[in-house]
Amino acid sequence: MKHLKSLFKDQYNPDNFFLIAGPCVVEDEALLVKVAEKVSAICKRLAIPYIFKASYRKANRTSIHSFTGVGDVEGLDLLQKMGQQFNLPVTTDIHSAAEAAMAAAYVDVLQIPAFLCRQTDILLAAAETGKVVNVKKGQFVSGEAMKFAVEKVKGAGNDKVMLTERGTTFGYQDLVVDYRNIPIMRHHGVPVIMDCTHSLQQPNQSSGVTGGNPQMISTIAKAAIATGADGLFIETHPDPANAKSDGANMLHLDHLEALLEQLVKIRQVIKA
């Protein structure tokens, strides 16, 4: 977990959890600025190390009609600009081995989507960039089995690995969170993050647009901190109802501060 110190630099705070947050996808510069500015100010006040997140492109959409991005280079340029403007580490997901080196030129953390957590070529390509690699646990994978993803990244000479819990498939249109996975994955010797928004997705809707259950975000987040999560992943947007991707399970930006205040108090109790 030593790589967190170099990632966060002056933000580093081992006594608090860290936060990965931002809109699901790069929609435009104005949105990114609004979110980065507000969240970074909140996190600075609460001493929460913060990574800004947005996907430069969304490849895993249910419907062919879903919004996928503003363009690869355009999206990555905007992410890099947010990192520079607000002095924050930045992350985005990648969807193939070929994207790893390209995205690594713009961001600090490469995120591997849950559906791709077993794809050896993408894990090795991400590892070889030397960037921090955050692997999301597949909805079909146990916490124990994620040790193999860690071994692949470390075997490529990169020990900067994080794992993210994001729920387990339950039937066809729901997910459940098994909080045993947090301590189990921490035993792999890497930081563990709880994805508080995607774990509430309701996929495979007949409309072709994934549903969600955002009113449970605070419950997921509180339980994650109580069970020892090192970090939280929360997608947030100032107008989720009109977001271009995953609006059904994003937290309204106006609700983030009060939630983080509660979570810091829980963390303090756990650390006492």
Side-chain angles (χ1 to χ4, degrees):
M1 302 188 189
K2 60 185 179 181
H3 55 274
L4 294 179
K5 186 173 183 179
S6 59
L7 176 66
F8 290 116
K9 300 176 182 176
D10 292 342
Q11 290 192 80
Y12 182 64
N13 181 4
D15 295 324
N16 211 351
F17 61 89
F18 62 89
L19 178 68
I20 302 174
C24 179
V25 67
V26 174
E27 298 181 17
D28 55 49
E29 184 172 356
L31 170 67
L32 300 189
V33 169
K34 184 170 186 175
V35 175
E37 184 173 49
K38 183 163 186 175
V39 180
S40 60
I42 295 168
C43 288
K44 185 175 182 180
R45 181 176 70 81
L46 297 174
I48 300 171
Y50 173 42
I51 302 172
F52 180 77
K53 182 271 167 186
S55 297
Y56 75 92
R57 175 161 55 89
K58 300 300 292 184
N60 54 338
R61 302 292 83 191
T62 301
S63 171
I64 190 66
H65 304 294
S66 296
F67 178 77
T68 58
V70 297
D72 290 357
V73 174
E74 293 84 351
L76 287 167
D77 275 338
L78 286 172
L79 286 172
Q80 186 178 59
K81 186 175 181 179
M82 293 306 102
Q84 294 169 345
Q85 182 174 340
F86 295 98
N87 193 28
L88 296 170
V90 177
T91 186
T92 187
D93 44 357
I94 60 173
H95 313 91
S96 71
E99 294 178 37
M102 176 182 69
Y106 296 86
V107 303
D108 306 282
V109 180
L110 296 176
Q111 179 178 289
I112 309 302
F115 286 129
L116 300 176
C117 71
R118 293 180 62 186
Q119 295 298 112
T120 301
D121 59 346
I122 192 170
L123 291 171
L124 296 183
E128 289 164 2
T129 68
K131 298 291 184 174
V132 177
V133 181
N134 177 24
V135 188
K136 286 197 167 184
K137 182 185 76 64
Q139 301 92 318
F140 46 88
V141 178
S142 69
E144 291 93 338
M146 288 302 292
K147 69 179 181 181
F148 299 111
V150 173
E151 288 174 359
K152 289 176 184 179
V153 176
K154 289 187 174 182
N158 186 344
D159 64 355
K160 296 180 286 187
V161 193
M162 304 190 291
L163 295 177
T164 295
E165 165 64 32
R166 53 99 74 226
T168 302
T169 297
F170 183 75
Y172 290 105
Q173 295 177 324
D174 206 357
L175 299 168
V176 294
V177 176
D178 181 351
Y179 284 96
R180 293 176 299 177
N181 282 323
I182 291 177
I184 286 170
M185 292 196 296
R186 290 189 87 247
H187 284 151
H188 302 326
V190 299
V192 173
I193 302 154
M194 181 70 230
D195 185 337
C196 304
T197 44
H198 289 97
S199 60
L200 292 167
Q201 283 184 331
Q202 294 173 327
N204 302 317
Q205 301 296 311
S206 59
S207 65
V209 177
T210 297
N213 195 14
Q215 63 270 26
M216 297 297 292
I217 291 172
S218 64
T219 300
I220 294 291
K222 291 172 185 175
I225 295 300
T227 50
D230 300 288
L232 299 177
F233 178 108
I234 300 176
E235 287 190 339
T236 184
H237 194 285
D239 186 12
N242 291 300
K244 293 184 178 181
S245 177
D246 278 4
N249 54 270
M250 276 197 279
L251 181 69
H252 196 292
L253 185 59
D254 290 344
H255 299 160
L256 182 63
E257 185 167 15
L259 174 58
L260 291 177
E261 289 174 345
Q262 293 177 336
L263 297 173
V264 167
K265 292 177 182 177
I266 294 171
R267 174 72 172 195
Q268 290 171 345
V269 172
I270 296 301
K271 294 290 286 186

